[in-house]
Amino acid sequence: QVQLVESGGGLVQAGGSLRLSCAASGRSYSAYAMGWFRQAPGKERESVASISGSGSSTYYVDSVKGRFTISRDNAKNTVYLQMNSLKPEDTAVYYCAAGYYVSLATDPYHWWGQGTQVTVSS
């Protein structure tokens, strides 16, 4: 079991940056792949980025490639999402999740955080 708590969301103007953090507690955190997902009002939840347990493999959805970076510090039991060049369409509630293998799909992820709001103004 892993418990996850996101932080770092807020209001930022287009072109700005934010860094989201996901603090984990529980057993065998480093064994899990981690992902970031987001859900905008009226839209389905979508994948943003994922990272393997060791941090050696990362994946991004096309819309954020070159702008977002996922990373993890297993010594601190924390996963990060650095978001640069933010656009209004990035506005959403962002969730982190832990799962059994790295993927941009939701299926492998069994534990989810509560979410943190990111709002990007024009």
Side-chain angles (χ1 to χ4, degrees), residues 14-81:
S17 298
L18 286 172
R19 188 180 74 161
L20 306 183
S21 298
C22 177
S25 61
R27 300 183 301 275
S28 302
Y29 161 76
S30 63
Y32 295 108
M34 299 293 297
W36 284 98
F37 301 81
R38 66 188 182 187
Q39 187 165 20
K43 295 185 177 180
E44 293 292 315
R45 180 179 55 192
E46 66 173 346
S47 179
V48 177
S50 60
I51 188 167
S52 61
S54 67
S56 62
S57 299
T58 59
Y59 302 91
Y60 301 91
V61 70
D62 286 345
S63 61
V64 308
K65 285 182 178 178
R67 299 190 298 122
F68 291 9
T69 303
I70 188 170
S71 62
R72 67 192 298 164
D73 186 341
N74 287 344
K76 297 181 178 180
N77 284 7
T78 303
V79 178
Y80 305 96
L81 184 68

Side-chain angles (χ1 to χ4, degrees), residues 53-117:
S54 67
S56 62
S57 299
T58 59
Y59 302 91
Y60 301 91
V61 70
D62 286 345
S63 61
V64 308
K65 285 182 178 178
R67 299 190 298 122
F68 291 9
T69 303
I70 188 170
S71 62
R72 67 192 298 164
D73 186 341
N74 287 344
K76 297 181 178 180
N77 284 7
T78 303
V79 178
Y80 305 96
L81 184 68
Q82 178 66 47
M83 305 186 295
N84 299 326
S85 301
L86 283 162
K87 304 174 181 179
E89 51 262 45
D90 295 318
T91 295
V93 177
Y94 283 70
Y95 301 89
C96 68
Y100 292 121
Y101 58 91
V102 63
S103 176
L104 289 175
T106 60
D107 303 58
Y109 298 94
H110 293 266
W111 300 277
W112 295 79
Q114 85 288 350
T116 185
Q117 177 71 48

